Amino acid sequence: MPLLIDVFPARSDNYGYLVHDVATGRTAAIDAPEAKPIREALGRRGWTLTDILITHHHSDHVEAIPPLKREYGAIVTGPRAEAAKILGLDRLVADGDTIAIGQSEFVVIEAPGHTLGQVVYYDPEGRHLFSADALFSLGVGRMFEGSPKPMWDGLVRLRELPNDTLVYCGHEYAQSNAAFALTVDPNNAALRIRAGEVDRLRAQNLPTVPVSLGLEKAANPFLRADHPTLARAMKLPADADAHVVFAALRRAKDEFKPA
Ligand code: ZN
Ligand code: FE
């Protein structure tokens, strides 16, 4: 039975997601950025919230847990490694665990670096990846916690998922990510095509998610840190370790000011 997904904006630039298991009616919010848009999305669809899947402890992903729990009695699942920092978790998960929403199953994958204990949720049957702030379209989250090597290794694991996986990320950052990506990988045809598509979508105020992982593998410079082109762009030797190139890219993005 299929899984239905509702995509909606929340806060200033977050995305909210509802996943609805058609067979059982169970409905999960991916993260809890803001109660009002989640409530409105549920109302539009006629769904009742039963679960919340939390990716990491940042307030723009957890703030609406208490009101949503009060209203719906939803069961809240989140990363064991960040349990002390998140209020209201009922179920703790770690890398390799699976979590069922009705008949739909999500695999938990750890993706450290933006926060140390961040997890993402992958539905292998429908090929949906809720990547939160680990992987954005044409970018990755800021490295607030941890170090480049585990962050890069986590991204390599996400990169190993099938090309036809659809990526649903935590924020709408695609346009600013594209501006940076074009400075480090200007001759990448896939990137240029995606950047044009992002501009067209944003001009109509449409979301740039979901995006195929196959496209991101070709266009996102942070998934291409082991490609000599990116080493060259970072003025590193062609055989530099990928995580060193990745660290240089992340630093360059932090310092990047769009024209
Ligand atoms: Zn975050
Ligand atoms: Fe965030």
Side-chain angles (χ1 to χ4, degrees):
M1 282 289 257
L3 189 71
L4 299 179
I5 297 173
D6 194 83
V7 179
F8 52 93
R11 305 176 74 100
S12 56
D13 53 26
N14 281 70
Y15 278 119
Y17 300 110
L18 293 176
V19 303
H20 177 77
D21 179 61
V22 175
T24 61
R26 290 196 79 91
T27 303
I30 308 294
D31 280 332
E34 189 183 2
K36 186 163 175 277
I38 293 174
R39 205 179 288 130
E40 286 169 354
L42 288 163
R44 258 197 322 272
R45 293 282 196 160
W47 298 342
T48 302
L49 192 71
T50 57
D51 295 82
I52 302 173
L53 304 184
I54 295 293
T55 60
H56 68 295
H57 69 82
H58 285 159
S59 62
D60 62 314
H61 298 257
V62 303
E63 222 165 65
I65 294 175
L68 292 173
K69 264 187 107 159
R70 261 198 312 277
E71 259 180 86
Y72 300 97
I75 299 164
V76 188
T77 300
R80 179 178 301 279
E82 299 190 352
K85 294 179 176 167
I86 304 170
L87 215 64
L89 293 184
D90 302 302
R91 262 186 325 203
L92 304 178
V93 288
D95 195 67
D97 288 346
T98 55
I99 189 95
I101 303 299
Q103 293 178 2
S104 304
E105 291 219 317
F106 291 85
V107 178
V108 176
I109 304 172
E110 266 167 14
H114 175 68
T115 66
L116 268 180
Q118 178 170 229
V119 297
V120 301
Y121 295 95
Y122 174 58
D123 156 28
E125 208 181 291
R127 303 254 167 97
H128 303 287
L129 173 66
F130 294 93
S131 64
D133 296 0
L135 175 64
F136 297 128
S137 184
L138 303 180
V140 294
R142 255 175 207 270
M143 196 174 66
F144 286 121
E145 302 173 11
S147 52
K149 176 84 167 75
M151 189 169 181
W152 167 249
D153 291 344
L155 289 168
V156 167
R157 290 181 61 205
L158 299 185
R159 198 176 64 174
E160 284 161 2
L161 299 175
N163 283 345
D164 60 356
T165 300
L166 291 174
V167 180
Y168 300 77
C169 58
H171 291 268
E172 180 53 69
Y173 291 157
Q175 234 169 354
S176 54
N177 286 342
F180 170 76
L182 286 166
T183 66
V184 294
D185 203 7
N187 300 317
N188 181 332
L191 168 59
R192 292 163 74 149
I193 290 166
R194 173 63 178 158
E197 179 185 45
V198 163
D199 283 343
R200 279 192 301 280
L201 289 167
R202 295 312 295 152
Q204 301 169 71
N205 206 22
L206 292 171
T208 62
V209 288
V211 57
S212 93
L213 185 59
L215 178 53
E216 287 299 314
K217 290 181 198 179
N220 187 331
F222 293 92
L223 295 181
R224 286 166 41 78
D226 51 357
H227 196 286
T229 305
L230 276 304
R232 221 175 300 126
M234 291 295 98
K235 303 195 162 49
L236 289 163
D239 61 351
D241 280 340
H243 73 271
V244 174
V245 178
F246 174 78
L249 282 167
R250 190 52 269 182
R251 226 175 301 122
K253 175 66 165 66
D254 290 344
E255 288 156 11
F256 177 71
K257 300 258 185 304

